[in-house]
Amino acid sequence: MTRIILVTGGARSGKSRIAEERTLAFGRPASYIATAQAFDSEMEKRIATHQERRGAEWVTHAEPLDLVGALSLTEGQPRLVDCLTLWLTNLMLGGHDWQSAGRELVAALPRQASPVVLVTNEIGAGIVPENKLARDFRDAAGLLNQWVAAVADEVTLAVAGLPLKVK
């Protein structure tokens, strides 16, 4: 049975650690599909921290745009996509059609033979952003999260390092 799991939460809520544990519970080795791009030293440090936490049981695939292709490439082992929010950022800032890419991902997820755990951020619970790009991003992230949650077998909300089952 295909297992699609979405782990969501705020910044530093423990969602990546929770998602890593869930992914490894399906078997080892596991594929870590990383969507982050290091455009500055702060992001380089964040990526390094994530890499240091992972052990030899992970095979990392850096893929900032083509998630469906990365899922196809890594079929046959559990996969962790970290994270949808950065993927969306890459699509929007790169001028790509994020809605088409999101729909393509949502269509591909139920066809996966091996488990997929996806990390995303809850960003719409705060104040309304001041500028149009930030508002567009907030709205797009909310829609993408809803689309993925609809096809997910499970949705977990990370709060203070604790997993709360939503679906």
Side-chain angles (χ1 to χ4, degrees):
M1 177 166 125
T2 300
R3 300 294 295 167
I4 306 301
I5 299 170
L6 180 65
V7 179
T8 187
R12 296 288 185 243
S13 61
K15 59 191 173 296
S16 290
R17 182 191 47 77
I18 291 166
E20 289 166 5
E21 291 170 1
R22 290 300 309 273
T23 305
L24 289 177
F26 288 110
R28 298 164 192 223
S31 288
Y32 190 102
I33 301 171
T35 62
Q37 298 181 84
F39 292 119
D40 58 31
S41 61
E42 186 266 339
M43 195 59 171
E44 287 174 357
K45 289 177 186 173
R46 285 179 178 263
I47 291 170
T49 299
H50 273 246
Q51 290 172 336
E52 289 169 10
R53 185 176 62 231
R54 298 191 305 266
E57 62 266 1
W58 291 97
V59 178
T60 301
H61 302 271
E63 185 46 68
L65 295 171
D66 185 13
L67 279 189
V68 173
L71 290 173
S72 178
L73 177 70
T74 58
E75 184 63 82
Q77 58 189 231
R79 282 80 49 87
L80 170 59
V81 175
D82 197 354
C83 79
L84 289 179
T85 313
L86 286 173
W87 177 63
L88 178 63
T89 299
N90 299 337
L91 291 169
M92 290 181 75
L93 293 180
H96 302 278
D97 182 350
W98 73 265
Q99 290 189 6
S100 292
R103 287 184 188 7
E104 182 183 3
L105 175 64
V106 167
L109 287 172
R111 296 192 306 258
Q112 301 303 302
S114 301
V116 180
V117 179
L118 304 107
V119 174
T120 193
N121 292 278
E122 286 299 321
I123 62 169
I127 62 172
V128 175
E130 179 182 350
N131 66 73
K132 180 174 177 5
L133 177 60
R135 287 188 300 275
D136 288 348
F137 178 75
R138 176 212 49 202
D139 294 348
L143 288 173
L144 180 61
N145 288 348
Q146 289 181 55
W147 296 347
V148 174
V151 299
D153 298 303
E154 292 180 28
V155 177
T156 297
L157 174 64
V159 178
L162 300 173
L164 300 174
K165 187 171 184 174
V166 176
K167 177 182 178 185

